[in-house]
Amino acid sequence: MANNIRGFNSKFGTIMAATGGAVGLGNIWRFPYTAGSNGGGAFLIIYFLFVLFLGLPVMLSEETIGRRAQKNVLGAFKVLAPKHKIWMAPGLISIVTAIVIYSFYSVVAGWTLNYIIASASGLLSGKSPDEITEFFNTFTSNSIFPLIYQFIFLLLTIFIINRGVKDGIEKCTKILMPILLLLLIVMCIRSLTLEGAYKGVEFLFKPDFSKLDGNSILDALGQAMFSLSIGMGALITYGSYMLKQDNLFTTSLWIAGADTLVAILAGVAIFPAVFAFGLEPTSGPSLVYIVLPNVFNSMSGGTVFAVAFFILLSIAALTSTISLLEVPVLWANESFSWGRRKASLIFSALVFVLGIFCSLSFGCLSNFTICGKTVFDLFDFITANLLMPIGAIFFTLLIGWHLPKADVYDELSNSGAIKPKLFNIFYFIIRYIAPLALLVVLISGLL
Ligand code: TRP
C-alpha cells in the first residue's frame, strides 16, 4: 500500500509522533500558568470545551487534507483545490509559520539544554532566589551561549529528521514519549507528596468563575490551538503519513486527549511544589527557569528531580521541533526533489539566522522593538494571533465548503470501511461554527 511506503508504520507510531508534536513547551509552562491565573477549574472547563468542539474538528480536518492528498502542505492544496490560486495561500502561510515558530521556539528549547547541564553539574544548587534570577538573566542576555545551545538543538532535530519518517520521527517519538510520560508521573508524585501541596492543587483546579472574562476565553482558545499544534499544517504533513486503514477520529481523540493530559499533569507537577515551598507562581519562561530551580533547591533529592525535569522539557521541545521542521522539509522534498538532508540543513540555517534575532531579544537587542515588541515577542504574536488563525480558517473552508461532502466522508470512513458516527456533528462544526469562531479569534487577537 502506497501509504505504508510513504509514512508511519503503525497507529501507535502515528499517535506518538503527532502527540510528540503537540506536547511541547506550551503544555509545560504555558498551560499551567494560564489555567491557574484564569480561575483554575473554571478555565479548564472552557479549555476542554474548546479542545473538544474546535480543536478536535480542526485537527481532524488537517489530517483529512493530508491523508487525502498524500502530499506536503502546499502540494495538498494543489491536489485538492487545483483550480484557484488562492488555495496556495494556506500552504505558503503554513511553511512560513513553521519557520517563524521554529525560530523563537528553538531559543527556549536551547535554554533547557543549558539547564540540564547547569543542574546536573550542581551550578544551581545552594543558590539563593536572587542568584537564580541572576543566573537566568545573565545566561539569556548573553550574546553567544544561548546561540550555541540553540544550535545544538537544531542539530539534534536535523539528526532525527535526516533519518527519515519511519526510522527517524516515528522510532524516536515512540521511545521518547513514553519516557516523557514516565518522568512526568514521577514529578507529579514527588510534588503531591510535599507538605502543603494542596494549595497548588487548589490553584490549578478550584473553579473561580469570577476570574473568567472575555480575555480568558480568548486565552483558552489560543492556548488550545497552540498546544494541539493546529493551524500551520503540521498535521497536514503528518496526516499524509497516516495509514489509510486508521480511523482518524480515534487517532485525533488520542492525540488531543494525550496532549490535554500532559498539560494537566504538568500543572500537577509544578504548582503543588511551588506552593509547598511558599513561592509565587509567575508567568512565562520565569516559571520554569526561575521559580522551579528554587523549588528544586528546597527539595530533598532536588538535583535529581531538576535534571529529570529539564530532560523532560527538552524531550517535549524536541518532538515538537521535529514536527515543525518536517513541514518545510517535506515540501522542499516533494516540490524540488531536495533530499531530506539538504532540505533540513537549508531550513535550519534559515531558522538559525532568524533565531539569532530572537535570542538577542533577551540581550543586546532588547531595546530593538517593532510595534513595541521585541523580535521574539513579535514572532510569537504574528504566528499565534495572525498566521495560525488564518491557516486554520482556510483548512476549515477547504473541508467544509470546497471539497464535496462525499469526498470528505469517503476519507473519514476509509472509503466505507468504517462508519464514523460523529461525522455529521464534525461536518456541521467545520462548515459553520469553526470558521466563525476562528474569525472572532483573528479579529480580537488583532485588536
Ligand atoms: N504544540 C507545541 C507546544 O505546545 C508547539 C508546536 C509544535 C506548535 N508544532 C506546532 C504550535 C505547530 C503550533 C503549530 O509547545
Side-chain angles (χ1 to χ4, degrees):
M1 187 186 289
N3 207 284
N4 281 349
I5 296 164
R6 177 185 175 83
F8 298 131
N9 269 327
S10 65
K11 182 159 179 167
F12 178 70
T14 302
I15 292 171
M16 288 301 109
T19 306
V23 169
L25 299 169
N27 299 59
I28 299 182
W29 57 258
R30 199 154 167 262
F31 175 84
Y33 183 79
T34 315
S37 54
N38 273 307
F43 178 89
L44 289 184
I45 296 170
I46 297 185
Y47 182 82
F48 289 148
L49 291 177
F50 278 136
V51 169
L52 209 57
F53 291 107
L54 205 71
L56 262 171
V58 175
M59 177 183 278
L60 202 48
S61 304
E62 288 196 31
E63 292 167 3
T64 308
I65 294 170
R67 197 175 72 168
R68 186 82 182 163
Q70 296 288 299
K71 281 271 181 262
N72 65 83
V73 271
L74 191 66
F77 287 93
K78 282 195 187 149
V79 169
L80 299 178
K83 289 212 190 83
H84 305 288
K85 284 264 178 291
I86 180 73
W87 290 106
M88 303 268 284
L92 290 171
I93 291 174
S94 293
I95 293 162
V96 172
T97 311
I99 291 170
V100 175
I101 293 182
Y102 193 14
S103 320
F104 70 81
Y105 201 83
S106 54
V107 174
V108 185
W111 294 352
T112 47
L113 293 183
N114 176 50
Y115 271 72
I116 296 179
I117 296 170
S119 14
S121 58
L123 223 65
L124 291 172
S125 43
K127 286 226 156 73
S128 71
D130 282 347
E131 286 168 332
I132 286 182
T133 308
E134 167 94 15
F135 177 88
F136 175 77
N137 290 335
T138 313
F139 171 68
T140 54
S141 62
N142 188 289
S143 301
I144 306 290
F145 291 118
L147 290 178
I148 296 177
Y149 286 106
Q150 187 186 7
F151 189 76
I152 298 173
F153 213 93
L154 295 179
L155 287 183
L156 281 172
T157 310
I158 292 174
F159 176 75
I160 293 160
I161 291 285
N162 277 346
R163 299 185 67 106
V165 177
K166 289 187 223 304
D167 292 336
I169 302 175
E170 185 175 3
K171 210 179 238 171
C172 114
T173 49
K174 256 163 66 178
I175 299 169
L176 290 179
M177 292 313 287
I179 297 179
L180 181 145
L181 190 62
L182 196 77
L183 286 175
L184 192 56
I185 291 173
V186 172
M187 301 292 306
C188 285
I189 295 172
R190 177 69 195 144
S191 176
L192 286 173
T193 50
L194 292 165
E195 206 171 312
Y198 74 93
K199 270 204 236 133
V201 178
E202 217 175 63
F203 180 70
L204 184 61
F205 291 114
K206 195 173 167 201
D208 179 354
F209 288 95
S210 69
K211 284 200 191 143
L212 280 184
D213 56 15
N215 275 336
S216 347
I217 295 178
L218 278 181
D219 273 358
L221 190 52
Q223 174 66 25
M225 285 186 66
F226 189 83
S227 188
L228 296 172
S229 299
I230 52 183
M232 52 71 68
L235 286 159
I236 293 182
T237 306
Y238 279 7
S240 79
Y241 298 148
M242 291 180 183
L243 296 163
K244 281 285 185 192
Q245 70 267 27
D246 282 351
N247 180 340
L248 292 184
F249 278 88
T250 54
T251 301
S252 309
L253 267 176
W254 272 106
I255 302 166
D259 184 69
T260 307
L261 178 72
V262 168
I264 290 174
L265 288 180
V268 173
I270 292 173
F271 289 127
V274 168
F275 281 90
F277 293 111
L279 294 164
E280 280 292 315
T282 57
S283 67
S286 60
L287 174 63
V288 163
Y289 296 102
I290 296 177
V291 178
L292 283 190
N294 281 310
V295 168
F296 295 128
N297 268 341
S298 327
M299 191 187 266
S300 55
T303 306
V304 176
F305 287 104
V307 174
F309 178 79
F310 287 111
I311 290 180
L312 184 166
L313 200 58
S314 300
I315 293 178
L318 180 63
T319 51
S320 293
T321 54
I322 292 171
S323 80
L324 289 167
L325 182 58
E326 184 63 14
V327 172
V329 164
L330 181 69
W331 166 63
N333 180 270
E334 291 184 338
S335 304
F336 329 118
S337 309
W338 287 5
R340 296 180 71 81
R341 178 188 295 267
K342 176 174 171 188
S344 61
L345 285 175
I346 289 179
F347 288 116
S348 300
L350 177 61
V351 164
F352 187 60
V353 172
L354 293 172
I356 292 176
F357 293 93
C358 297
S359 187
L360 297 182
S361 294
F362 296 91
C364 60
L365 290 185
S366 62
N367 291 323
F368 173 73
T369 55
I370 302 166
C371 305
K373 292 185 190 316
T374 63
V375 176
F376 186 100
D377 292 338
L378 187 73
F379 280 13
D380 184 7
F381 179 83
I382 291 178
T383 48
N385 293 292
L386 198 65
L387 299 179
M388 287 168 61
I390 294 180
I393 290 173
F394 271 110
F395 304 158
T396 56
L397 293 181
L398 185 83
I399 292 288
W401 295 90
H402 186 81
L403 287 181
K405 185 175 180 182
D407 285 11
V408 178
Y409 185 80
D410 182 70
E411 191 58 40
L412 283 169
S413 68
N414 301 348
S415 303
I418 51 172
K419 293 224 170 344
K421 281 191 230 77
L422 300 173
F423 180 81
N424 283 329
I425 299 177
F426 157 76
Y427 198 75
F428 179 77
I429 294 177
I430 283 303
R431 200 168 155 89
Y432 300 106
I433 299 180
L436 283 176
L438 289 163
L439 200 63
V440 172
V441 179
L442 180 66
I443 293 168
S444 47
L446 292 180
L447 301 178

